[in-house]
C-alpha cells in the first residue's frame, strides 16, 4: 500500500507538469487550430531562460523564474507572428503549418544543444530540494511547489477565460472564428494573446522539471507529444479536460509500474490512449475531432 | 555497362590516389590516431578525463620529438554512448583519416566498431568499457580489466565483509549495465547473497523515482547500482529523497565528479581501480583542465603511451612503415607495458588485470578499506 501511495504521489507530481504543458498546448490548439509542436521548444526555452537568468545574469531564483516566464510568452508570440501568421496570409494549409512547427522544434532544440551542449545543466534550488515526508510518502519541497503551481495555473487560466474581456475573446474565437470576426474581434491579435497566455502557462512546467533534474535540450518533444495526447483524451477545446487527460496519463505511467516492469512505462500509457481514443473519440469532455482540424 | 565502366574508372582512381597517399604519409607527416569518446551525454564527465589524459600523453610524446620523428595527432570523435554514432566515427577515422589505431570507450560502442577495426586491420584500444563480451576480440585490446573481475570483488566484499546479503538492483538498460548486473547476480549468489529484485532504467533518463519506490517496497539491505555516468548521482539523490536508507553500492563506474558532489552518495560502498589523486599526473591534470583527474584520465594517457611504444617498435620492424597490423604485432610481442598505474600485461584474451580497492565514499572521497591484489 505504501508503494501505491508513493507511486500515486510521484504520478501526481509528474502529472502537474503534464497538466501545465497540456493546458497551454490545448488552449493554443483549441483557439488557433495550429498543431503547435514547437510548443515543446517554448517549454525547453523557458528552462534555458531561467538557467541563463540565474547562472549567467546572477539573478535570484524567483526573479529568474519570472523573467523566464515572460521571455517564454514573448517567444510563443514571436513564433506566431514570424512563422504562422505569414504562412496563413499566404494561404498555407494546416499540414504545412504543422511541418513548419516541427522544423522549428528541431531547429531550436539543436541550436540549444550546440550553444549549451546536450548535457544537463543544474540550477541552484537551495532548500527547495529538501525532502518532505507525508506519512509513508516522500517528496521534495519542489514537488509540492509543482503541484501547487499546476493547481493555481489551472484555476487562474479558467478564471481568466471566464471573467476577463480578453479571455472571453479567446473563447469566442475558439468556439467560432467566423462569428468572432463578424462581431469585430481581430483574430490575429487574439491568436497572439493566446500564444502569450498558452506559453506563459507552460513555461513553469519546463522550469520546474529543470530545477528538479536539470536543463536539457530535447525534453520538450516528449512533453509536447504527451500534451497533445492529453488534449485529445480530454476533449479538444476543454481546459479541464486537458488537465484531466494529463493527470490520467501521468498516474497511468507511474501506477502501471506497480505490477509491471518499469521499462513498460510509456508503452502502457500510449497503449491505453489508443484503446481509449478508439472507444471514445471525443475524449472526456470535448467536441468530436473533425478531420479538418488536424 | 557505361555505369560499370565509370565506376571501375572511379575505383581505379581512388585506388591510385590511395597508393600515392601511402608513401607520402610515411615521410614525416604527422601520425594520426583516433579517440572515440563520450564527449557529450550522460557520460560527458568521463569524456573530459579520457580526452584530457590522451591530450597530455600526446603533448608529452611530441615534446620529446614525436614517434620516430613524426608528430602524433589525436582526432577526437564523440559517440555520446550511442553505438551507431561510434560506427560513423570509426568509419570516418578509417576511410578519411586512415588511422592505424584508435582509442575507444564504453561497451556497446566498442563492440559495434570492433568488426570495422578487424576488417580494416586497425587496432582499437578500450580503456573504459568493461563488458565481458569485450574480451578475446580480434584487433581489440582492453587496457582495463573486464567487469567480472571487479564485480566479483565487490560482490564478495559486500556479502562477506559487510554482511549485506539481500540486494535490490537498479540497472542501466544497455549492454554494459545488463552485463554487469548479471555478473553481480551470479557472483553475489556464489558469495552467499541474494538479489531480490531488479529494475531497469534508460541510461539517458533523469527521473528514477517510480523504479526506486518499487525497489524500496521490496525491502532488502543493499541497493546495488549497475549504472554509470551522471545517472548515479541522480539515482543516489532520488533514493535518499524517497527515504531509502539502506547502503548503496557500485563499482568504479559510479565514480564520476557528479557522484563525488552528490549528498545522496555519502556512505556509498564502492570498488575502484588504482588511481592516486596526489600523483604528479593528477596535479598536472588539475592545473591544465581546472578539474580533478580521475582513473579514466590515466587510462587514456596510458593507452596513448602504449600506442607510441608499439608504433615505434612496428616502424622499426617494417622499415618505417606504420600499419595497424604492425601495431597489433608489436603489442603482442611487447605485451608488458609500464604505465602510471604500474606494470600492465596484456592477457591472452587481450584484456588487462589490475589491483582493485574497496572502500566507502566519505566527504567526496573514497576511503579505501581493503586492497584486493590482481591474480598474477
Amino acid at each position: 500500500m505504501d508503494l501505491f501511495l508513493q507511486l500515486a504521489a510521484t504520478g501526481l507530481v509528474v502529472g502537474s507538469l503534464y497538466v501545465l504543458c497540456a493546458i497551454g498546448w490545448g488552449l493554443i490548439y483549441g483557439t488557433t487550430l495550429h498543431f503547435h509542436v514547437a510548443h515543446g521548444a517554448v517549454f525547453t526555452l523557458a528552462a534555458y531562460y531561467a538557467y541563463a537568468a540565474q547562472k549567467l545574469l546572477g539573478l535570484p531564483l524567483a526573479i529568474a523564474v519570472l523573467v523566464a516566464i515572460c521571455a517564454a510568452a514573448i517567444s510563443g508570440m514571436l513564433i506566431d507572428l514570424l512563422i504562422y501568421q505569414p504562412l496563413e496570409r499566404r494561404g498555407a494549409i494546416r499540414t504545412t503549418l504543422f511541418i513548419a512547427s516541427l522544423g522549428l522544434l528541431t531547429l531550436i532544440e539543436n541550436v540549444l544543444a550546440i550553444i549549451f551542449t546536450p548535457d544537463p545543466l543544474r540550477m541552484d534550488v537551495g532548500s527547495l530540494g529538501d525532502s518532505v515526508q507525508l506519512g509513508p510518502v516522500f517528496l521534495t519541497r519542489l514537488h509540492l511547489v509543482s503541484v501547487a503551481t499546476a493547481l493555481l495555473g489551472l484555476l487562474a487560466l479558467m478564471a481568466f477565460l471566464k471573467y476577463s474581456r480578453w479571455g472571453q475573446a479567446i473563447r469566442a474565437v475558439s468556439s467560432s472564428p467566423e462569428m468572432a470576426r463578424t462581431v469585430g474581434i481581430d483574430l490575429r491579435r487574439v491568436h497572439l494573446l493566446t500564444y502569450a497566455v498558452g506559453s506563459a502557462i507552460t513555461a513553469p512546467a519546463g522550469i520546474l522539471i529543470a530545477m528538479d533534474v536539470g536543463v536539457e535540450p530535447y525534453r520538450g518533444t516528449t512533453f509536447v507529444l504527451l500534451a497533445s495526447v492529453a488534449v485529445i483524451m480530454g476533449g479538444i477545446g476543454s481546459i479541464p479536460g486537458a488537465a484531466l487527460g494529463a493527470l490520467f496519463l501521468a498516474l497511468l505511467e507511474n501506477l502501471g509500474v506497480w505490477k509491471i516492469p518499469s521499462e513498460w512505462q510509456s508503452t502502457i500509457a500510449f497503449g491505453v490512449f489508443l484503446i481509449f481514443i478508439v472507444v471514445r473519440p471525443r475524449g472526456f469532455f470535448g467536441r468530436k475531432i473533425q478531420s479538418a482540424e488536424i | 555497362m557505361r555505369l560499370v565502366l565509370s565506376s571501375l574508372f572511379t575505383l581505379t582512381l581512388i585506388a591510385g590516389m590511395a597508393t600515392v597517399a601511402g608513401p607520402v604519409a610515411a615521410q614525416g607527416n604527422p601520425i594520426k590516431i583516433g579517440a572515440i569518446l563520450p564527449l557529450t551525454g550522460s557520460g560527458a564527465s568521463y569524456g573530459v578525463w579520457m580526452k584530457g589524459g590522451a591530450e597530455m600523453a600526446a603533448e608529452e610524446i611530441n615534446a620529446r620529438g614525436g614517434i620516430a620523428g613524426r608528430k602524433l595527432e589525436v582526432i577526437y570523435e564523440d559517440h555520446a554512448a550511442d553505438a551507431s554514432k561510434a560506427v560513423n566515427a570509426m568509419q570516418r577515422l578509417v576511410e578519411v583519416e586512415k588511422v592505424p589505431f584508435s582509442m575507444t570507450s564504453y561497451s556497446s560502442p566498442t563492440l559495434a566498431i570492433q568488426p570495422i577495426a578487424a576488417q580494416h586491420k586497425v587496432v582499437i584500444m578500450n580503456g573504459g568499457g568493461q563488458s565481458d563480451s569485450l574480451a578475446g576480440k580480434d584487433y581489440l585490446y582492453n587496457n582495463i580489466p573486464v567487469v567480472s573481475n571487479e564485480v566479483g570483488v565487490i560482490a564478495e566484499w559486500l556479502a562477506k565483509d559487510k554482511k549485506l546479503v539481500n540486494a535490490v538492483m537498479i540497472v542501466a538498460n544497455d549492454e554494459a549495465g545488463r552485463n554487469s548486473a548479471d555478473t553481480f547476480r551470479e557472483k553475489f549468489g556464489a558469495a552467499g547473497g541474494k538479489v531480490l529484485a531488479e529494475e531497469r532504467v534508460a541510461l539517458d533518463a533523469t527521473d528514477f523515482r517510480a523504479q526506486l519506490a518499487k525497489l524500496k517496497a521490496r525491502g532488502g539491505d543493499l541497493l546495488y547500482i549497475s549504472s554509470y555516468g551522471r545517472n548515479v548521482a541522480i539515482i543516489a539523490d532520488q533514493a535518499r529523497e524517497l527515504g531509502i536508507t539502506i547502503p548503496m553500492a557500485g563499482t568504479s563506474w559510479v565514480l564520476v565528479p557528479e557522484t563525488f558532489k552528490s549528498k545522496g552518495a555519502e556512505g556509498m560502498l564502492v570498488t575502484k581501480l588504482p588511481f592516486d589523486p596526489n600523483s604528479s599526473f593528477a596535479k598536472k591534470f588539475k592545473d591544465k583542465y581546472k578539474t580533478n583527474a580521475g582513473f579514466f584520465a590515466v587510462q587514456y594517457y596510458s593507452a596513448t603511451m602504449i600506442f607510441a611504444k608499439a608504433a615505434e617498435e612496428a616502424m622499426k620492424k617494417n622499415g618505417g612503415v606504420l600499419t595497424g597490423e604492425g601495431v597489433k604485432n608489436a603489442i603482442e610481442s611487447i605485451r608488458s607495458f609500464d604505465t602510471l598505474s604500474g606494470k600492465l600485461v596484456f592477457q591472452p584474451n587481450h584484456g588487462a588485470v589490475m589491483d582493485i580497492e574497496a572502500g566507502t565514499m566519505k566527504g567526496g572521497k573514497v576511503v579505501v578499506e581493503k586492497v584486493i591484489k590482481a591474480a598474477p
Side-chain angles (χ1 to χ4, degrees), chain A residues 7 11 14-15 18 222 226 246-258 260-262 264-270, chain B residues 210:
Chain A
L7 289 173
V14 177
Y18 288 1
T222 322
L226 283 161
L247 204 57
F248 181 75
L249 277 177
L251 286 174
L252 200 66
E253 264 186 4
N254 281 278
L255 289 176
V257 173
W258 193 21
I260 305 170
S262 48
W264 288 87
Q265 237 176 346
S266 38
T267 316
I268 305 167
F270 284 100

PDB file of all heavy atoms in Angstrom, chain A residues 7 11 14-15 18 222 226 246-258 260-262 264-270, chain B residues 210:
ATOM      1  N   LEU A   7       3.801   5.818  -5.452  1.00  0.00           N
ATOM      2  CA  LEU A   7       3.708   5.911  -6.912  1.00  0.00           C
ATOM      3  C   LEU A   7       2.623   6.914  -7.310  1.00  0.00           C
ATOM      4  O   LEU A   7       2.784   7.672  -8.275  1.00  0.00           O
ATOM      5  CB  LEU A   7       3.410   4.541  -7.525  1.00  0.00           C
ATOM      6  CG  LEU A   7       4.556   3.528  -7.466  1.00  0.00           C
ATOM      7  CD1 LEU A   7       4.095   2.163  -7.940  1.00  0.00           C
ATOM      8  CD2 LEU A   7       5.749   3.993  -8.296  1.00  0.00           C
ATOM      9  N   GLY A  11       3.245  10.181  -9.394  1.00  0.00           N
ATOM     10  CA  GLY A  11       2.408  10.406 -10.574  1.00  0.00           C
ATOM     11  C   GLY A  11       1.754  11.774 -10.545  1.00  0.00           C
ATOM     12  O   GLY A  11       1.678  12.470 -11.562  1.00  0.00           O
ATOM     13  N   VAL A  14       4.526  14.418 -11.398  1.00  0.00           N
ATOM     14  CA  VAL A  14       4.802  14.414 -12.834  1.00  0.00           C
ATOM     15  C   VAL A  14       3.572  14.952 -13.568  1.00  0.00           C
ATOM     16  O   VAL A  14       3.675  15.737 -14.508  1.00  0.00           O
ATOM     17  CB  VAL A  14       5.141  12.985 -13.310  1.00  0.00           C
ATOM     18  CG1 VAL A  14       5.357  12.955 -14.808  1.00  0.00           C
ATOM     19  CG2 VAL A  14       6.382  12.474 -12.599  1.00  0.00           C
ATOM     20  N   GLY A  15       2.397  14.507 -13.086  1.00  0.00           N
ATOM     21  CA  GLY A  15       1.142  14.915 -13.705  1.00  0.00           C
ATOM     22  C   GLY A  15       0.945  16.418 -13.678  1.00  0.00           C
ATOM     23  O   GLY A  15       0.425  17.000 -14.632  1.00  0.00           O
ATOM     24  N   TYR A  18       2.726  17.769 -16.553  1.00  0.00           N
ATOM     25  CA  TYR A  18       1.984  17.455 -17.786  1.00  0.00           C
ATOM     26  C   TYR A  18       0.777  18.386 -17.916  1.00  0.00           C
ATOM     27  O   TYR A  18       0.451  18.840 -19.010  1.00  0.00           O
ATOM     28  CB  TYR A  18       1.477  16.005 -17.761  1.00  0.00           C
ATOM     29  CG  TYR A  18       2.524  14.923 -17.928  1.00  0.00           C
ATOM     30  CD1 TYR A  18       3.872  15.229 -18.070  1.00  0.00           C
ATOM     31  CD2 TYR A  18       2.158  13.583 -17.948  1.00  0.00           C
ATOM     32  CE1 TYR A  18       4.815  14.228 -18.213  1.00  0.00           C
ATOM     33  CE2 TYR A  18       3.093  12.577 -18.090  1.00  0.00           C
ATOM     34  CZ  TYR A  18       4.428  12.892 -18.219  1.00  0.00           C
ATOM     35  OH  TYR A  18       5.353  11.896 -18.353  1.00  0.00           O
ATOM     36  N   THR A 222       9.066  15.079 -25.971  1.00  0.00           N
ATOM     37  CA  THR A 222       8.247  14.137 -25.218  1.00  0.00           C
ATOM     38  C   THR A 222       7.062  14.852 -24.594  1.00  0.00           C
ATOM     39  O   THR A 222       5.943  14.354 -24.616  1.00  0.00           O
ATOM     40  CB  THR A 222       9.079  13.534 -24.057  1.00  0.00           C
ATOM     41  OG1 THR A 222      10.402  13.338 -24.514  1.00  0.00           O
ATOM     42  CG2 THR A 222       8.472  12.258 -23.566  1.00  0.00           C
ATOM     43  N   LEU A 226       3.064  14.222 -25.208  1.00  0.00           N
ATOM     44  CA  LEU A 226       2.152  13.875 -24.117  1.00  0.00           C
ATOM     45  C   LEU A 226       1.031  14.901 -23.995  1.00  0.00           C
ATOM     46  O   LEU A 226      -0.124  14.542 -23.754  1.00  0.00           O
ATOM     47  CB  LEU A 226       2.926  13.790 -22.801  1.00  0.00           C
ATOM     48  CG  LEU A 226       3.731  12.508 -22.648  1.00  0.00           C
ATOM     49  CD1 LEU A 226       4.811  12.668 -21.600  1.00  0.00           C
ATOM     50  CD2 LEU A 226       2.808  11.348 -22.274  1.00  0.00           C
ATOM     51  N   ALA A 246      -4.047  14.856 -18.853  1.00  0.00           N
ATOM     52  CA  ALA A 246      -2.633  14.889 -18.480  1.00  0.00           C
ATOM     53  C   ALA A 246      -2.405  14.131 -17.177  1.00  0.00           C
ATOM     54  O   ALA A 246      -1.466  13.324 -17.055  1.00  0.00           O
ATOM     55  CB  ALA A 246      -2.176  16.338 -18.329  1.00  0.00           C
ATOM     56  N   LEU A 247      -3.285  14.371 -16.220  1.00  0.00           N
ATOM     57  CA  LEU A 247      -3.153  13.719 -14.921  1.00  0.00           C
ATOM     58  C   LEU A 247      -3.346  12.211 -15.064  1.00  0.00           C
ATOM     59  O   LEU A 247      -2.618  11.403 -14.480  1.00  0.00           O
ATOM     60  CB  LEU A 247      -4.215  14.295 -13.980  1.00  0.00           C
ATOM     61  CG  LEU A 247      -3.918  14.186 -12.499  1.00  0.00           C
ATOM     62  CD1 LEU A 247      -2.597  14.862 -12.180  1.00  0.00           C
ATOM     63  CD2 LEU A 247      -5.032  14.847 -11.701  1.00  0.00           C
ATOM     64  N   PHE A 248      -4.320  11.841 -15.885  1.00  0.00           N
ATOM     65  CA  PHE A 248      -4.619  10.433 -16.127  1.00  0.00           C
ATOM     66  C   PHE A 248      -3.380   9.727 -16.701  1.00  0.00           C
ATOM     67  O   PHE A 248      -2.975   8.663 -16.236  1.00  0.00           O
ATOM     68  CB  PHE A 248      -5.805  10.348 -17.093  1.00  0.00           C
ATOM     69  CG  PHE A 248      -6.230   8.952 -17.421  1.00  0.00           C
ATOM     70  CD1 PHE A 248      -6.940   8.200 -16.498  1.00  0.00           C
ATOM     71  CD2 PHE A 248      -5.923   8.388 -18.652  1.00  0.00           C
ATOM     72  CE1 PHE A 248      -7.340   6.907 -16.793  1.00  0.00           C
ATOM     73  CE2 PHE A 248      -6.322   7.095 -18.955  1.00  0.00           C
ATOM     74  CZ  PHE A 248      -7.031   6.347 -18.020  1.00  0.00           C
ATOM     75  N   LEU A 249      -2.737  10.358 -17.703  1.00  0.00           N
ATOM     76  CA  LEU A 249      -1.555   9.764 -18.334  1.00  0.00           C
ATOM     77  C   LEU A 249      -0.433   9.576 -17.319  1.00  0.00           C
ATOM     78  O   LEU A 249       0.214   8.528 -17.268  1.00  0.00           O
ATOM     79  CB  LEU A 249      -1.045  10.669 -19.448  1.00  0.00           C
ATOM     80  CG  LEU A 249      -1.712  10.552 -20.810  1.00  0.00           C
ATOM     81  CD1 LEU A 249      -1.109  11.580 -21.752  1.00  0.00           C
ATOM     82  CD2 LEU A 249      -1.504   9.152 -21.367  1.00  0.00           C
ATOM     83  N   ALA A 250      -0.200  10.600 -16.512  1.00  0.00           N
ATOM     84  CA  ALA A 250       0.905  10.547 -15.552  1.00  0.00           C
ATOM     85  C   ALA A 250       0.654   9.473 -14.499  1.00  0.00           C
ATOM     86  O   ALA A 250       1.566   8.710 -14.142  1.00  0.00           O
ATOM     87  CB  ALA A 250       1.083  11.902 -14.886  1.00  0.00           C
ATOM     88  N   LEU A 251      -0.577   9.391 -14.011  1.00  0.00           N
ATOM     89  CA  LEU A 251      -0.894   8.381 -12.996  1.00  0.00           C
ATOM     90  C   LEU A 251      -0.770   6.981 -13.593  1.00  0.00           C
ATOM     91  O   LEU A 251      -0.247   6.066 -12.962  1.00  0.00           O
ATOM     92  CB  LEU A 251      -2.298   8.609 -12.435  1.00  0.00           C
ATOM     93  CG  LEU A 251      -2.396   9.808 -11.495  1.00  0.00           C
ATOM     94  CD1 LEU A 251      -3.840  10.065 -11.090  1.00  0.00           C
ATOM     95  CD2 LEU A 251      -1.538   9.604 -10.236  1.00  0.00           C
ATOM     96  N   LEU A 252      -1.229   6.859 -14.822  1.00  0.00           N
ATOM     97  CA  LEU A 252      -1.143   5.576 -15.510  1.00  0.00           C
ATOM     98  C   LEU A 252       0.313   5.145 -15.653  1.00  0.00           C
ATOM     99  O   LEU A 252       0.676   3.998 -15.360  1.00  0.00           O
ATOM    100  CB  LEU A 252      -1.778   5.736 -16.888  1.00  0.00           C
ATOM    101  CG  LEU A 252      -2.212   4.469 -17.589  1.00  0.00           C
ATOM    102  CD1 LEU A 252      -3.350   3.843 -16.809  1.00  0.00           C
ATOM    103  CD2 LEU A 252      -2.689   4.808 -19.000  1.00  0.00           C
ATOM    104  N   GLU A 253       1.153   6.075 -16.098  1.00  0.00           N
ATOM    105  CA  GLU A 253       2.584   5.775 -16.276  1.00  0.00           C
ATOM    106  C   GLU A 253       3.204   5.297 -14.974  1.00  0.00           C
ATOM    107  O   GLU A 253       3.977   4.352 -14.944  1.00  0.00           O
ATOM    108  CB  GLU A 253       3.327   7.047 -16.706  1.00  0.00           C
ATOM    109  CG  GLU A 253       3.535   7.185 -18.174  1.00  0.00           C
ATOM    110  CD  GLU A 253       4.408   8.389 -18.481  1.00  0.00           C
ATOM    111  OE1 GLU A 253       4.914   9.071 -17.547  1.00  0.00           O
ATOM    112  OE2 GLU A 253       4.579   8.663 -19.648  1.00  0.00           O
ATOM    113  N   ASN A 254       2.883   5.986 -13.884  1.00  0.00           N
ATOM    114  CA  ASN A 254       3.546   5.685 -12.617  1.00  0.00           C
ATOM    115  C   ASN A 254       2.923   4.514 -11.883  1.00  0.00           C
ATOM    116  O   ASN A 254       3.638   3.661 -11.368  1.00  0.00           O
ATOM    117  CB  ASN A 254       3.587   6.924 -11.736  1.00  0.00           C
ATOM    118  CG  ASN A 254       4.699   7.851 -12.174  1.00  0.00           C
ATOM    119  OD1 ASN A 254       5.844   7.658 -11.807  1.00  0.00           O
ATOM    120  ND2 ASN A 254       4.378   8.801 -13.023  1.00  0.00           N
ATOM    121  N   LEU A 255       1.575   4.459 -11.862  1.00  0.00           N
ATOM    122  CA  LEU A 255       0.938   3.343 -11.168  1.00  0.00           C
ATOM    123  C   LEU A 255       1.116   2.039 -11.943  1.00  0.00           C
ATOM    124  O   LEU A 255       1.138   0.957 -11.355  1.00  0.00           O
ATOM    125  CB  LEU A 255      -0.546   3.641 -10.948  1.00  0.00           C
ATOM    126  CG  LEU A 255      -0.807   4.732  -9.912  1.00  0.00           C
ATOM    127  CD1 LEU A 255      -2.298   5.038  -9.826  1.00  0.00           C
ATOM    128  CD2 LEU A 255      -0.271   4.326  -8.542  1.00  0.00           C
ATOM    129  N   GLY A 256       1.268   2.170 -13.261  1.00  0.00           N
ATOM    130  CA  GLY A 256       1.495   0.983 -14.083  1.00  0.00           C
ATOM    131  C   GLY A 256       2.709   0.203 -13.606  1.00  0.00           C
ATOM    132  O   GLY A 256       2.758  -1.029 -13.649  1.00  0.00           O
ATOM    133  N   VAL A 257       3.707   0.937 -13.104  1.00  0.00           N
ATOM    134  CA  VAL A 257       4.953   0.326 -12.642  1.00  0.00           C
ATOM    135  C   VAL A 257       4.719  -0.584 -11.432  1.00  0.00           C
ATOM    136  O   VAL A 257       5.497  -1.484 -11.148  1.00  0.00           O
ATOM    137  CB  VAL A 257       5.952   1.454 -12.279  1.00  0.00           C
ATOM    138  CG1 VAL A 257       7.206   0.916 -11.646  1.00  0.00           C
ATOM    139  CG2 VAL A 257       6.276   2.250 -13.511  1.00  0.00           C
ATOM    140  N   TRP A 258       3.590  -0.342 -10.747  1.00  0.00           N
ATOM    141  CA  TRP A 258       3.291  -1.084  -9.525  1.00  0.00           C
ATOM    142  C   TRP A 258       3.406  -2.590  -9.748  1.00  0.00           C
ATOM    143  O   TRP A 258       4.053  -3.297  -8.989  1.00  0.00           O
ATOM    144  CB  TRP A 258       1.876  -0.712  -9.058  1.00  0.00           C
ATOM    145  CG  TRP A 258       1.534  -1.138  -7.681  1.00  0.00           C
ATOM    146  CD1 TRP A 258       2.409  -1.437  -6.680  1.00  0.00           C
ATOM    147  CD2 TRP A 258       0.233  -1.314  -7.136  1.00  0.00           C
ATOM    148  NE1 TRP A 258       1.732  -1.770  -5.542  1.00  0.00           N
ATOM    149  CE2 TRP A 258       0.383  -1.713  -5.794  1.00  0.00           C
ATOM    150  CE3 TRP A 258      -1.047  -1.170  -7.657  1.00  0.00           C
ATOM    151  CZ2 TRP A 258      -0.694  -1.957  -4.965  1.00  0.00           C
ATOM    152  CZ3 TRP A 258      -2.135  -1.412  -6.815  1.00  0.00           C
ATOM    153  CH2 TRP A 258      -1.952  -1.807  -5.481  1.00  0.00           C
ATOM    154  N   ILE A 260       3.930  -3.984 -13.102  1.00  0.00           N
ATOM    155  CA  ILE A 260       4.546  -4.321 -14.391  1.00  0.00           C
ATOM    156  C   ILE A 260       5.973  -3.770 -14.393  1.00  0.00           C
ATOM    157  O   ILE A 260       6.204  -2.704 -13.839  1.00  0.00           O
ATOM    158  CB  ILE A 260       3.717  -3.702 -15.549  1.00  0.00           C
ATOM    159  CG1 ILE A 260       2.259  -4.161 -15.454  1.00  0.00           C
ATOM    160  CG2 ILE A 260       4.288  -4.069 -16.907  1.00  0.00           C
ATOM    161  CD1 ILE A 260       1.318  -3.439 -16.385  1.00  0.00           C
ATOM    162  N   PRO A 261       6.946  -4.472 -15.007  1.00  0.00           N
ATOM    163  CA  PRO A 261       8.319  -3.946 -15.036  1.00  0.00           C
ATOM    164  C   PRO A 261       8.369  -2.529 -15.603  1.00  0.00           C
ATOM    165  O   PRO A 261       7.609  -2.195 -16.512  1.00  0.00           O
ATOM    166  CB  PRO A 261       9.060  -4.915 -15.952  1.00  0.00           C
ATOM    167  CG  PRO A 261       8.275  -6.166 -15.904  1.00  0.00           C
ATOM    168  CD  PRO A 261       6.848  -5.784 -15.658  1.00  0.00           C
ATOM    169  N   SER A 262       9.287  -1.722 -15.065  1.00  0.00           N
ATOM    170  CA  SER A 262       9.223  -0.294 -15.341  1.00  0.00           C
ATOM    171  C   SER A 262       9.613   0.085 -16.758  1.00  0.00           C
ATOM    172  O   SER A 262       9.297   1.176 -17.200  1.00  0.00           O
ATOM    173  CB  SER A 262      10.070   0.470 -14.338  1.00  0.00           C
ATOM    174  OG  SER A 262      11.324  -0.125 -14.223  1.00  0.00           O
ATOM    175  N   TRP A 264       8.197  -0.767 -19.206  1.00  0.00           N
ATOM    176  CA  TRP A 264       6.943  -0.698 -19.956  1.00  0.00           C
ATOM    177  C   TRP A 264       6.216   0.630 -19.760  1.00  0.00           C
ATOM    178  O   TRP A 264       5.154   0.845 -20.347  1.00  0.00           O
ATOM    179  CB  TRP A 264       6.018  -1.844 -19.517  1.00  0.00           C
ATOM    180  CG  TRP A 264       6.494  -3.160 -20.003  1.00  0.00           C
ATOM    181  CD1 TRP A 264       7.386  -3.991 -19.384  1.00  0.00           C
ATOM    182  CD2 TRP A 264       6.138  -3.810 -21.224  1.00  0.00           C
ATOM    183  NE1 TRP A 264       7.603  -5.106 -20.145  1.00  0.00           N
ATOM    184  CE2 TRP A 264       6.843  -5.028 -21.281  1.00  0.00           C
ATOM    185  CE3 TRP A 264       5.276  -3.479 -22.271  1.00  0.00           C
ATOM    186  CZ2 TRP A 264       6.735  -5.910 -22.343  1.00  0.00           C
ATOM    187  CZ3 TRP A 264       5.166  -4.371 -23.329  1.00  0.00           C
ATOM    188  CH2 TRP A 264       5.889  -5.568 -23.366  1.00  0.00           C
ATOM    189  N   GLN A 265       6.773   1.511 -18.924  1.00  0.00           N
ATOM    190  CA  GLN A 265       6.109   2.761 -18.544  1.00  0.00           C
ATOM    191  C   GLN A 265       5.364   3.477 -19.675  1.00  0.00           C
ATOM    192  O   GLN A 265       4.151   3.636 -19.618  1.00  0.00           O
ATOM    193  CB  GLN A 265       7.137   3.713 -17.943  1.00  0.00           C
ATOM    194  CG  GLN A 265       6.762   4.154 -16.554  1.00  0.00           C
ATOM    195  CD  GLN A 265       7.843   5.029 -15.927  1.00  0.00           C
ATOM    196  OE1 GLN A 265       8.972   5.114 -16.401  1.00  0.00           O
ATOM    197  NE2 GLN A 265       7.509   5.695 -14.865  1.00  0.00           N
ATOM    198  N   SER A 266       6.087   3.884 -20.722  1.00  0.00           N
ATOM    199  CA  SER A 266       5.399   4.676 -21.742  1.00  0.00           C
ATOM    200  C   SER A 266       4.568   3.794 -22.666  1.00  0.00           C
ATOM    201  O   SER A 266       3.576   4.245 -23.230  1.00  0.00           O
ATOM    202  CB  SER A 266       6.383   5.536 -22.530  1.00  0.00           C
ATOM    203  OG  SER A 266       7.560   4.862 -22.741  1.00  0.00           O
ATOM    204  N   THR A 267       4.955   2.518 -22.802  1.00  0.00           N
ATOM    205  CA  THR A 267       4.154   1.602 -23.624  1.00  0.00           C
ATOM    206  C   THR A 267       2.741   1.482 -23.050  1.00  0.00           C
ATOM    207  O   THR A 267       1.755   1.497 -23.791  1.00  0.00           O
ATOM    208  CB  THR A 267       4.814   0.209 -23.649  1.00  0.00           C
ATOM    209  OG1 THR A 267       6.210   0.379 -23.841  1.00  0.00           O
ATOM    210  CG2 THR A 267       4.251  -0.648 -24.745  1.00  0.00           C
ATOM    211  N   ILE A 268       2.650   1.383 -21.721  1.00  0.00           N
ATOM    212  CA  ILE A 268       1.334   1.271 -21.081  1.00  0.00           C
ATOM    213  C   ILE A 268       0.515   2.512 -21.389  1.00  0.00           C
ATOM    214  O   ILE A 268      -0.620   2.440 -21.846  1.00  0.00           O
ATOM    215  CB  ILE A 268       1.466   1.167 -19.540  1.00  0.00           C
ATOM    216  CG1 ILE A 268       2.388   0.023 -19.151  1.00  0.00           C
ATOM    217  CG2 ILE A 268       0.105   1.008 -18.881  1.00  0.00           C
ATOM    218  CD1 ILE A 268       2.812   0.073 -17.689  1.00  0.00           C
ATOM    219  N   ALA A 269       1.121   3.679 -21.148  1.00  0.00           N
ATOM    220  CA  ALA A 269       0.380   4.931 -21.286  1.00  0.00           C
ATOM    221  C   ALA A 269      -0.170   5.085 -22.707  1.00  0.00           C
ATOM    222  O   ALA A 269      -1.344   5.402 -22.901  1.00  0.00           O
ATOM    223  CB  ALA A 269       1.270   6.103 -20.919  1.00  0.00           C
ATOM    224  N   PHE A 270       0.706   4.839 -23.703  1.00  0.00           N
ATOM    225  CA  PHE A 270       0.244   5.053 -25.073  1.00  0.00           C
ATOM    226  C   PHE A 270      -0.702   3.945 -25.531  1.00  0.00           C
ATOM    227  O   PHE A 270      -1.624   4.193 -26.312  1.00  0.00           O
ATOM    228  CB  PHE A 270       1.429   5.219 -26.019  1.00  0.00           C
ATOM    229  CG  PHE A 270       2.043   6.578 -25.893  1.00  0.00           C
ATOM    230  CD1 PHE A 270       3.196   6.766 -25.147  1.00  0.00           C
ATOM    231  CD2 PHE A 270       1.439   7.680 -26.468  1.00  0.00           C
ATOM    232  CE1 PHE A 270       3.735   8.027 -24.986  1.00  0.00           C
ATOM    233  CE2 PHE A 270       1.981   8.944 -26.313  1.00  0.00           C
ATOM    234  CZ  PHE A 270       3.126   9.119 -25.576  1.00  0.00           C
TER     235      PHE A 270
ATOM    236  N   ALA B 210       9.912   6.242  -9.745  1.00  0.00           N
ATOM    237  CA  ALA B 210       8.972   5.122  -9.775  1.00  0.00           C
ATOM    238  C   ALA B 210       9.715   3.807  -9.537  1.00  0.00           C
ATOM    239  O   ALA B 210       9.291   2.975  -8.724  1.00  0.00           O
ATOM    240  CB  ALA B 210       8.238   5.100 -11.109  1.00  0.00           C
TER     241      ALA B 210
END
